[in-house]
Amino acid sequence: MNVWIEKQKYLIDFTLASLARRKAKNLGLLLVYSLIVFLLASVMLFTHALRQAANELLAGAPEIVLQRMVAGRHDLIPPGYLERIARLRGVLEKQGRLWGYYYDPVVKANYTFMVADDRLLAPGTLVVGAGLARTRGVAPGNLISFRAYSGKLFTFSIADILPAKSELVSADLVLLGEADFRAFFDIPPGHYTDITLRVANPLEVRNIASKLAQQFPDSRPILREEILRTYDSIFSWREGIVLALATLALLAFAILAWEKASGLSADERREIGILKAIGWDTGDVLRMKFWEGAMLSLSAFLLGYLAAYLHVFHFSASLLAPVLKGWAVLYPRFELSPVIDGLQVTTLFFFTVFPYAAATLVPIWRAAISDPDAVMRG
């Protein structure tokens, strides 16, 4: 065993010296290889971290959201629905929500107006998200005006700004009291945007949703798991767009592997011929070249993956954020928690390292089994 280890050490030492003799070529190859790994790993790390963040944020969401549909469009829920829902067995908690969208022509962005259930806001005051405050340049105590769809101008005082750590979901959020919300959007008392329900037994969520659909045929129950699947589909779709744009990088990698598999340079053939002439057998040559391809591909993978990790979790994925975040104007600022998926790393490793390492062995084997004199003569 010790003899085998010592032999591998000598082979690695010789391989490093061989790589150093072709420094410029190998450094260029390492740079291109690392950039390809960096691009692919950045997309995978960022989308996976966004999925995890969305799952954590939606973990506390209600199990069912009930929306009323009129002519296929979302409409206000009239009075009486909450009382009828209370008669259903298994419903632990029910609550009517008030929320809506507002287009601000000042910054050409959409805001989400919502009644604050966990805050006691005085009339004429509101709480805004950090993204909105940054875009409009406002701070607590400042006044801000919005013109309602009825044409009436409303002026509010900013009571507070939502914490930056919640900016992933609150960048465009505006919280205000119920009376102000109803006056701004002209919504009559007793009407709600939708109703949220919490279920006593999680296994009965689908049964209760089925009962809601039967009792309220003009409504649509939306399950939390369906929302999670929707987010996952959106992130997968955006990830696919970026990977499609990375086709050129993937094509470059394919050309690189093909060039390596198609043959050897004259210097490499001469080197193999000399090694065979001084007593190296075919197995030694293959092991030496295997170490050469393995060290180059592993170095590129580690460098590319480390750069992608720093890019995503320390520099907020600045190169990919405009595509994968999805906001049009109010881009939130947030730091994703480092999340690494073992299967994802293994898949990326398999599709970037193994093809190149395997491609290096084909021409090496052809040269290694040839006559040394013929190899050196080309």
Side-chain angles (χ1 to χ4, degrees):
M1 186 67 180
N2 291 333
V3 175
W4 184 86
I5 294 176
E6 289 296 323
K7 186 174 183 179
Q8 301 308 311
K9 288 174 59 178
Y10 291 135
L11 286 173
I12 292 174
D13 290 340
F14 184 85
T15 301
L16 291 173
S18 177
L19 290 172
R21 285 194 294 272
R22 295 181 290 273
K23 188 181 302 183
K25 176 184 176 181
N26 289 320
L27 284 178
L29 193 61
L30 180 66
L31 178 61
V32 174
Y33 204 159
S34 300
L35 285 175
I36 295 170
V37 176
F38 165 78
L39 178 60
L40 299 176
S42 293
V43 175
M44 291 181 176
L45 283 172
F46 192 54
T47 52
H48 184 67
L50 281 177
R51 287 192 186 96
Q52 290 297 112
N55 290 338
E56 292 174 2
L57 290 170
L58 292 173
E63 286 89 350
I64 303 176
V65 175
L66 186 69
Q67 294 181 344
R68 181 168 177 258
M69 309 298 293
V70 174
R73 303 296 297 272
H74 181 201
D75 198 10
L76 293 176
I77 293 180
Y81 275 53
L82 285 173
E83 290 74 13
R84 294 169 62 187
I85 291 175
R87 304 190 191 106
L88 290 176
R89 294 182 58 185
V91 176
L92 184 64
E93 180 183 340
K94 63 187 184 309
Q95 184 177 11
R97 293 194 307 184
L98 287 169
W99 60 271
Y101 298 120
Y102 174 79
Y103 177 75
D104 185 2
V106 176
V107 295
K108 295 181 174 58
N110 282 308
Y111 303 151
T112 302
F113 278 58
M114 190 172 187
V115 171
D117 298 320
D118 57 343
R119 292 173 179 259
L120 295 176
L121 294 177
T125 64
L126 48 78
V127 177
V128 300
L132 188 153
R134 186 169 53 249
T135 305
R136 289 291 299 263
V138 295
N142 293 162
L143 297 177
I144 188 170
S145 298
F146 300 109
R147 187 172 297 279
Y149 296 120
S150 62
K152 184 179 178 180
L153 185 67
F154 288 78
T155 301
F156 300 95
S157 174
I158 297 178
D160 196 8
I161 295 176
L162 294 170
K165 63 181 181 181
S166 67
E167 196 168 344
L168 178 61
V169 293
S170 66
D172 62 345
L173 188 61
V174 177
L175 298 178
L176 64 169
E178 182 176 346
D180 287 335
F181 184 93
R182 292 187 182 277
F184 186 81
F185 287 102
D186 195 19
I187 295 179
H191 289 72
Y192 294 96
T193 307
D194 56 29
I195 298 175
T196 61
L197 296 91
R198 294 191 180 275
V199 180
N201 185 1
L203 299 178
E204 294 293 322
V205 171
R206 289 195 171 275
N207 290 336
I208 293 178
S210 178
K211 294 178 181 178
L212 288 170
Q214 294 175 3
Q215 187 168 347
F216 304 97
D218 61 341
S219 300
R220 176 181 62 177
I222 302 174
L223 307 185
R224 181 172 59 192
E225 60 185 53
E226 295 174 347
I227 299 175
L228 287 170
R229 283 200 302 268
T230 301
Y231 271 94
D232 186 69
S233 299
I234 291 173
F235 291 138
S236 297
W237 175 71
R238 293 184 179 276
E239 181 183 15
I241 291 177
V242 177
L243 290 178
L245 295 176
T247 302
L248 293 177
L250 295 173
L251 180 61
F253 176 74
I255 294 174
L256 185 67
W258 175 262
E259 185 273 336
K260 199 69 179 177
S262 62
L264 300 173
S265 65
D267 290 340
E268 289 175 312
R269 288 181 175 276
R270 189 178 302 108
E271 180 183 63
I272 293 174
I274 294 173
L275 293 176
K276 292 278 290 184
I278 63 176
W280 284 44
D281 59 27
T282 302
D284 292 334
V285 174
L286 288 176
R287 279 188 287 271
M288 185 269 292
K289 288 298 182 180
F290 168 78
W291 281 117
E292 180 179 318
M295 284 190 288
L296 188 62
S297 57
L298 284 174
S299 299
F301 180 83
L302 292 175
L303 287 174
Y305 199 88
L306 178 61
Y309 183 92
L310 295 175
H311 170 234
V312 172
F313 298 117
H314 291 275
F315 296 99
S316 302
S318 55
L319 299 178
L320 301 174
V323 178
L324 293 177
K325 280 185 180 178
W327 285 265
V329 178
L330 297 178
Y331 285 98
R333 297 176 182 174
F334 58 89
E335 290 186 3
L336 293 169
S337 300
V339 180
I340 296 178
D341 183 9
L343 178 61
Q344 195 178 73
V345 176
T346 303
T347 303
L348 181 64
F349 181 86
F350 180 81
F351 283 104
T352 55
V353 173
F354 276 89
Y356 181 84
T360 59
L361 295 180
V362 176
I364 301 300
W365 176 77
R366 291 176 180 173
I369 61 175
S370 304
D371 181 69
D373 183 65
V375 172
M376 286 186 288
R377 290 175 181 274

